[in-house]
């Protein structure tokens, strides 16, 4: 049985060959997909079916997202958007966002590298998707939610107003979210694994 992803309204067969079954409908001699999902053309039963699945999600302004900092420049951080908060669907289209120096925190930021490091996991909000994805972390609940020690790569713990590595007895600084260290990563990592 052949499998192919189809969109609602997409022509999937002609009635001479296949009968519309679950997830499809017939109109003017043609069979169309009624839902997004995998098309299944059964050549023995002569049926056309679409097994529904959730369509991938498209980023839009206002979305709260999780992402990984992949590069840090003086005036901006590059952030790969991995998932949208509250969504278990993969993201379609461009996922490469930037956080401009003016959108890091409500206070003054002299260098983005003092607030974010590559491999940091951040919660951010989408402020623009076209022509490029722009993100902000200006809000107490936005910012780094997981950071690793630059020296030993162990997760940093929150200590006072900074982050701390017990093993190296070192302090690091970040623009972290107010719930740093209390974030449930199970959903996030599930998402990351399936998108790769
Ligand atoms: Zn360390």
């Amino acid at each position: 049985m052949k499998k192919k992803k189809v969109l609602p309204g997409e022509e999937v067969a002609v009635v001479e060959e296949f009968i519309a079954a679950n997830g499809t409908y017939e109109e003017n001699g043609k069979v169309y997909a009624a839902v997004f999902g995998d098309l299944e053309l059964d050549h023995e039963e002569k049926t056309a079916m679409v097994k529904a699945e959730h369509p991938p999600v498209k980023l839009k302004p206002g979305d709260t997202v999780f992402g990984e900092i992949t590069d840090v420049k003086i005036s901006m951080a590059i952030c790969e958007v991995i998932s949208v908060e509250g969504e278990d669907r993969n993201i379609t289209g461009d996922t490469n966002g930037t956080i401009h120096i003016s959108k890091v925190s409500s206070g003054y930021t002299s260098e983005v590298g003092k607030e974010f490091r590559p491999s940091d996991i951040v919660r951010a909000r989408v402020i623009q998707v076209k022509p490029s994805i722009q993100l902000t972390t200006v809000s107490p609940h936005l910012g780094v939610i997981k950071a690793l020690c630059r020296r030993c790569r162990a997760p940093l713990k929150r200590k006072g107003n900074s982050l701390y590595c017990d093993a190296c007895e070192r302090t690091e600084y970040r623009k972290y979210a107010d719930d740093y260290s209390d974030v449930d990563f199970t959903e996030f990592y599930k998402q990351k694994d399936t998108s790769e």
Side-chain angles (χ1 to χ4, degrees):
M1 206 182 293
K2 268 199 221 163
K3 275 196 179 182
K4 183 191 160 205
K5 288 252 188 287
V6 291
L7 293 163
E10 193 174 327
E11 184 187 328
V12 295
V14 288
V15 289
E16 286 82 4
E17 294 179 59
F18 295 98
I19 306 157
N22 287 346
T24 62
Y25 63 93
E26 186 196 317
E27 205 175 272
N28 300 324
K30 283 171 182 169
V31 181
Y32 297 91
V35 292
F36 173 85
D38 284 317
L39 171 67
E40 293 179 10
L41 296 176
D42 189 328
H43 291 266
E44 278 173 26
E45 300 290 326
K46 307 284 179 207
T47 54
M49 286 185 293
V50 177
K51 216 175 156 201
E53 69 175 67
H54 295 300
V57 65
K58 234 179 175 164
L59 292 178
K60 57 182 188 304
D63 280 346
T64 300
V65 296
F66 293 107
E68 181 173 347
I69 302 292
T70 55
D71 195 11
V72 173
K73 300 176 194 298
I74 292 170
S75 65
M76 65 169 137
I78 311 295
C79 177
E80 175 75 21
V81 178
I82 291 161
S83 67
V84 177
E85 192 171 58
E87 287 279 2
D88 59 3
R89 299 178 286 166
N90 290 333
I91 300 167
T92 182
D94 190 16
T95 53
N96 209 19
T98 58
I99 305 169
H100 187 259
I101 190 163
S102 64
K103 297 289 187 286
V104 172
S105 75
S106 54
Y108 171 72
T109 304
S110 59
E111 270 178 54
V112 176
K114 288 182 177 170
E115 311 291 348
F116 297 129
R117 301 289 309 168
S119 89
D120 284 354
I121 303 298
V122 297
R123 181 194 289 113
R125 188 163 296 127
V126 178
I127 46 177
Q128 176 194 298
V129 286
K130 275 182 181 167
S132 60
I133 300 171
Q134 300 289 332
L135 306 168
T136 176
T137 53
V138 180
S139 168
H141 198 47
L142 302 176
V144 177
I145 53 172
K146 182 175 184 165
L148 303 179
C149 171
R150 279 167 78 173
R151 189 176 294 164
C152 75
R153 310 302 290 164
L156 295 169
K157 288 178 183 164
R158 187 164 161 183
K159 196 175 178 186
N161 289 323
S162 54
L163 303 179
Y164 190 75
C165 175
D166 284 336
C168 304
E169 300 184 326
R170 282 177 66 247
T171 296
E172 291 194 26
Y173 298 91
R174 294 291 197 284
K175 195 298 180 187
Y176 56 77
D178 56 5
D179 61 348
Y180 184 97
S181 84
D182 292 329
V183 178
D184 177 10
F185 285 100
T186 0
E187 279 304 304
F188 174 77
Y189 282 117
K190 201 174 85 190
Q191 182 79 26
K192 196 178 176 186
D193 288 341
T194 55
S195 67
E196 281 173 355

